[in-house]
Structures are given as structure tokens and as C-alpha cells.
Amino acid sequence: MATFTLNAEKRERAGKGAARATRRAGRVPAVVYGDNKEPIMISVVPLELKKLIQTGGFFSHLVEINVDGKGHRVIARDIQLDPVTDRPIHVDFMRVSKGHTIAVNIPLHFINELAAPGIKRGGVLNAVRHEVELNVDPDNIPEFIEIDLTGLDINDSVHISNVKLPAGSAPTITDRDFTIATIAAPSGMKAEAAQEGEEEGGEE
Amino acid sequence: MLSPKRTKFRKAHKGRIHGKAKGGYTLNFGSFGLKATSPERVTARQIESARRAITRHMKRAGRVWIRIFPDVPVSQKPAEVRQGKGKGAPEYWACRVKPGRIMFEIDGVSREVAKRAFELADAKLPVSTKFVTRFGEED
């Protein structure tokens, strides 16, 4: 797993007035916290941030942030976006220390869709989750998890117990075998089934 | 067409649409969405018309989610009636849409199909819109 790098400058003042001033100056306010150290307020260049976001896996890659010459090993935890323009307003970074596991949302990739008879017959892949939260070692965060759809028919589903997770990772939800995806019947097929049901009911 | 099953009051004030969406501005169900970028009252007919345009273009494949609901009764006075004598009768239902609101979501189709379907839906709506994808993917 590659580590991203990001250059940042320290911010002195906290609060919305200062944060807005940072945005007016053309930068994005952010914060680095965690690892039992004092949080530091920083600001980053929007273009650099946008590049990282568009690389994909923004929340599942370690980031090396250089703040005034000092490096911080962090992971992005949250990003606030403008509701209309989708431009970043603020970013949260959490320090990552060695020897600790962290909970990270890992994206899911659905493969072999054409090998699923349900999808061939017109069924729709209904992704209940597009990502799954795993407890992982920060140095070995998986890029993505592949979900194999081979052999799935309409109304079949994939649960977390059916998925082969990378070594050293475990789902944070342990109390139930949660669903990841189902193959739903197409709307046309549902309508036909409902019609048949009505006809049968009418005959009785 | 969408409409509430029952309401507490038959008629509502006209109201104004201020500010940006405070919720419903991220994709929650599908992979592609249609986001409003201007404020406007969207009627139940317009929502239904846009939904039909989307499903027709998708040839009934994939899935569509409607993220707005028309819950504001809009009243009108009959033609050639003088002013006064009370508020008119409820005529249709509308939804107040703020900029940033995701109105429709799609999944199970390719990006090109989704984009064209939303272009067709956009033509049926009174708001300006933009095509959005999941976080981290380029629009």
C-alpha cells in the first residue's frame, strides 16, 4: 500500500472566523489529532488535496503530512464537503502509531458479475454496502476487497462470512453476519410475479 | 404520483426556500446521483416525469431511488375568481428542494447510461442540476 504525501502549514487561530479566513486565503483548514498528543491545526492546498481524493482510497491510505518541516504519519478520518460545490471545507487527520490496529472503511469491488446467473437473467446487483469497516494493521491496509459473484442467482445474497478477508484484518461488526450485497429481481419480473399472484388469488 | 397518505392540515403557507441543503447531500444508496444546484419547488408531476425518463432510458435495468418527497400542498384559486373569499383549494403536491439536495440515485447501470438518464431527467425538472458520483471518483 502506497503512502500519500501532503504539505501543510500550521494555523494559529481556532474557530469558524479563523477557518473562514483560511478558506478566503485559498487554503483548506484541517486538523491533526490522536496518539495522546496535542492536536495541531493546519491548512493544506486544495489542489494537492483534490489530487489525493481523486487517486481513490483517500480514507484507506496512510498520509505523510509535512508541517513546517516536521513529518506526521496520519490517516484521513473525515472530510467535510460543500453541499453544492462538493469542494472540501475541512479535513480531519488522525495520527497513526505503530503497534495499534485501526478501524478503516475498505472499499468493496464486485467481480465476475457476468458469471452470476441471476444477473444474466436480468437481476440487479443491490450493493447493501459499498465499503466494509475492518480492524487492520495501519501498515497493511488492503486497497480493496473483492467480492466474487460467481454462481449467485436472483434473491441470493453475500454475507461477510462468505468473504475472504486479508490476513490480520477482522470486521468491526462481530455480533451478526451482515449482508454485503443481494441479487434483486428486476422490476419487470416483480410486476409479473405480482400479477400471477393476483390471478391465482382471483381464481380461488 | 407521490403524495402523502394523510396530513395534519389541508393547506400550507407558501414558504420560501433559504440556504443550502442540511442533509441528503451525499449518495446513500446508488453509485450515481442527480444533485440540485438551485432552490425551487418541485412538483409531484415533475418528479414522476423525471423518474419515467430515467427508467425508460435505463430500459428497466438497474435501480432508481427517489430521495425527495412532495409533502407541501399547493393551492390555487379557480379561473376568473375575484381576490379574497379565502384560500383556494389544494391542487397539487410539491417538495421544497434546496441546493445540494440529491434528488435521484441510480445503481446497476454504466456511467454513460446513468449520465444520459439524468440529462433526460434534468429536462423535466425546474432546478439546475449536476451529476454526482461516489466520493473519490471523478465526476
Side-chain angles (χ1 to χ4, degrees):
Chain A
M1 186 200 64
T3 305
F4 294 153
T5 54
L6 194 62
N7 294 312
E9 278 178 15
K10 214 166 183 177
R11 284 190 292 143
E12 293 305 324
R13 290 190 304 129
K16 65 184 173 192
R20 284 175 185 168
T22 307
R23 284 183 208 114
R24 277 196 297 274
R27 297 179 72 87
V28 178
V31 66
V32 175
Y33 58 78
D35 201 17
N36 294 326
K37 290 176 191 162
E38 279 294 301
I40 51 169
M41 294 175 294
I42 57 168
S43 69
V44 295
V45 181
L47 200 66
E48 282 186 33
L49 189 64
K50 195 180 169 190
K51 274 185 193 163
L52 290 196
I53 292 168
Q54 287 181 350
T55 312
F58 182 63
F59 292 110
S60 57
H61 278 81
L62 291 184
V63 184
E64 189 70 35
I65 294 188
N66 300 313
V67 186
D68 301 335
K70 199 179 167 201
H72 296 265
R73 198 161 160 266
V74 298
I75 188 164
R77 276 312 206 188
D78 192 20
I79 184 164
Q80 291 174 37
L81 302 172
D82 183 279
V84 183
T85 60
D86 290 319
R87 269 190 227 132
I89 297 173
H90 187 271
V91 194
D92 285 9
F93 293 105
M94 189 180 80
R95 288 190 194 96
V96 174
S97 54
K98 287 206 164 146
H100 286 87
T101 58
I102 50 169
V104 182
N105 281 320
I106 309 293
L108 301 174
H109 287 191
F110 296 96
I111 57 165
N112 295 334
E113 281 193 31
L114 294 176
I119 294 178
K120 267 189 183 171
R121 283 169 52 208
V124 184
L125 173 67
N126 180 23
V128 179
R129 286 167 190 273
H130 291 271
E131 47 194 28
V132 62
E133 195 179 44
L134 299 179
N135 282 322
V136 291
D137 174 21
D139 291 315
N140 291 311
I141 302 174
E143 289 272 337
F144 54 84
I145 292 169
E146 286 187 338
I147 310 291
D148 194 354
L149 302 173
T150 307
L152 290 184
D153 210 338
I154 287 173
N155 295 332
D156 283 353
S157 53
V158 184
H159 293 90
I160 189 68
S161 57
N162 310 127
V163 179
K164 194 172 173 249
L165 296 174
S169 62
T172 52
I173 301 172
T174 51
D175 58 341
R176 60 186 194 277
D177 188 14
F178 58 89
T179 313
I180 285 175
T182 59
I183 308 282
S187 48
M189 198 181 275
K190 274 184 205 163
E192 279 167 27
Q195 221 168 23
E196 279 170 24
E198 273 173 29
E199 280 167 15
E200 279 169 22
E203 281 163 18
E204 285 166 14
Chain B
M1 281 196 297
L2 295 171
S3 68
K5 281 199 187 86
R6 62 184 187 88
T7 53
K8 198 166 181 182
F9 301 105
R10 278 181 59 227
K11 296 173 186 176
H13 290 179
K14 175 183 268 179
R16 298 283 186 279
I17 304 170
H18 298 291
K20 297 175 185 175
K22 280 189 277 187
Y25 54 79
T26 52
L27 287 179
N28 278 2
F29 302 99
S31 302
F32 311 102
L34 187 68
K35 184 180 262 197
T37 53
S38 66
E40 194 59 77
R41 214 155 59 175
V42 180
T43 69
R45 275 171 186 269
Q46 288 162 345
I47 297 171
E48 175 60 15
S49 178
R51 188 197 64 79
R52 277 190 195 175
I54 292 169
T55 47
R56 276 201 189 152
H57 185 71
M58 287 163 60
K59 298 200 174 76
R60 302 174 80 186
R63 265 189 91 177
V64 180
W65 288 266
I66 304 172
R67 299 277 308 272
I68 52 175
F69 187 82
D71 57 355
V72 179
V74 180
S75 63
Q76 272 176 355
K77 278 177 177 290
E80 296 181 2
V81 167
R82 288 171 188 266
Q83 290 302 305
K85 304 279 179 264
K87 195 170 166 78
E91 284 296 319
Y92 57 89
W93 294 91
C95 170
R96 293 191 192 118
V97 173
K98 289 184 173 188
R101 179 82 198 191
I102 302 268
M103 296 183 290
F104 295 93
E105 289 188 32
I106 290 180
D107 208 352
V109 290
S110 69
R111 183 193 182 83
E112 289 70 33
V113 171
K115 206 161 186 173
R116 180 65 189 144
F118 282 145
E119 276 170 17
L120 295 170
D122 173 64
K124 312 286 183 193
L125 296 168
V127 286
S128 59
T129 62
K130 72 173 189 178
F131 178 76
V132 289
T133 53
R134 294 196 83 80
F135 179 77
E137 291 169 24
E138 212 169 335
D139 290 348

